[in-house]
Amino acid sequence: MEFTRAQLTAQVAAMRQMFDDVQLVDPNTREILDPETLQPTGPAGEVPALDERGRAWQPVFLQDSTCFTLYWSVRPEGRPCVLAVTYDLPHVEAGSSREANAFYRLLSQCREELCHDYVTGVYSRAYIDSAFRGRVAAAARGGAKVSAAMVRVNEYAALCRSESVAAADRCLTTAAGILGLAMDGMECENTLIRLEDGVFLMVAIGAGAAELEAHIQDALQGSRRNFSITLARRGAFTATVAAADWAEAGSWDLMVGLAESRLYDAP
C-alpha cells in the first residue's frame, strides 16, 4: 500500500494506541526507520516471508512474555518497507476462562518446542531470535566481552549418507552433551544452540573468543567422543572449532558470520 510520509506518520501514531510496539522496518537493510524522515534509527530483526497480500505474522517468545508480531507491506513514497506491530499477550490471571487457560498451555508447549532442538535438547535457532540475541547486544553495548564459536561435527554429513539419520543424530547428541558440559564449566553467562545439520553455535557473555575457543577445544580433547552407529558398531567423531569477538565485528550478524567463515576456511 502506498503512503506519503504524512499519511504513514498518522497511521503509525494511530496504531501505537492499539499495539504495544509499532516499527517501520526496511527488510533489506534490517533497520528501523523513522516514519517521518525514513532515516534509520537502529537495527531491526529479520522479517519473515510475506504472503501474496504482503502480510505475515509470528509469535515472539521473550524471557518474561509472549507476543505476536504482525507484518504489513507498505511503500512510503515508493520505498518497500514493512510495518511490524507487536501485541503483548496479558498473563492469565487466576479465575480466567477455560479457553484462556487452554490457549496459554498450548503457547507454553509451542514455546518449548520452538526454542529447543528436538534431537539434542539444546536451544534451537528460534531461541536466538526470540530471547538471546537482544540480551547479547545489550551486554555488548554495556561494555561486556561477547564472543561466539561455531563447532562443526565433521562426520555428520557422511553418517547421514552412508549409515542413517538416526546414527548421525546419536553422534550429534553425544557432541551436544560434551559441549553442554563445557559451557556449564564456564564462569560466565553462555548458551549452546544447534544450527543446521551438524553445526552448533556457542555464545558467551563475559569471555573473549580465544578463551571460549580454548575452553571448547579442551572439553573436546578431554572427552570420549564415541557414539553408537548400530547396536553392534560404535564410531567416534571429530570437531572443528572457530570463534570471533563482538569487538572485532561490531554486531551480532557480523560476529556470527565471521565465526562461520573461519569455520569453513579451517582445514
Side-chain angles (χ1 to χ4, degrees), residues 6-7 47 77 157 164-165:
Q7 290 172 332
V47 174
E77 299 186 351
S164 66
V165 172

Side-chain angles (χ1 to χ4, degrees), residues 66-120:
T66 299
C67 316
F68 281 101
T69 299
L70 311 176
Y71 299 89
W72 178 27
S73 176
V74 295
R75 294 177 62 87
E77 299 186 351
R79 180 174 178 176
C81 295
V82 171
L83 274 175
V85 297
T86 300
Y87 175 68
D88 293 339
L89 291 179
H91 294 288
V92 172
E93 303 292 340
S96 297
S97 67
R98 288 180 56 193
E99 292 80 4
N101 282 297
F103 181 65
Y104 267 81
R105 284 197 300 272
L106 286 173
L107 281 179
S108 297
Q109 181 180 348
C110 178
R111 178 187 187 124
E112 289 301 310
E113 291 181 355
L114 285 175
C115 291
H116 287 84
D117 173 47
Y118 70 96
V119 172
T120 62

Side-chain angles (χ1 to χ4, degrees), residues 159-181:
L159 284 167
C160 288
R161 290 193 304 268
S162 63
E163 299 292 346
S164 66
V165 172
D169 286 347
R170 287 191 289 272
C171 176
L172 280 190
T173 301
T174 300
I178 295 171
L179 297 175
L181 289 174

Side-chain angles (χ1 to χ4, degrees), residues 1-3 8 11 15 23-25 27 47-57 70-76 78-85:
M1 182 175 290
E2 297 285 345
F3 283 96
L8 183 61
Q11 179 74 42
M15 297 180 81
Q23 295 180 348
L24 178 66
V25 176
V47 174
L50 304 178
D51 64 16
E52 65 277 2
R53 299 178 300 168
R55 300 178 185 178
W57 70 275
L70 311 176
Y71 299 89
W72 178 27
S73 176
V74 295
R75 294 177 62 87
R79 180 174 178 176
C81 295
V82 171
L83 274 175
V85 297

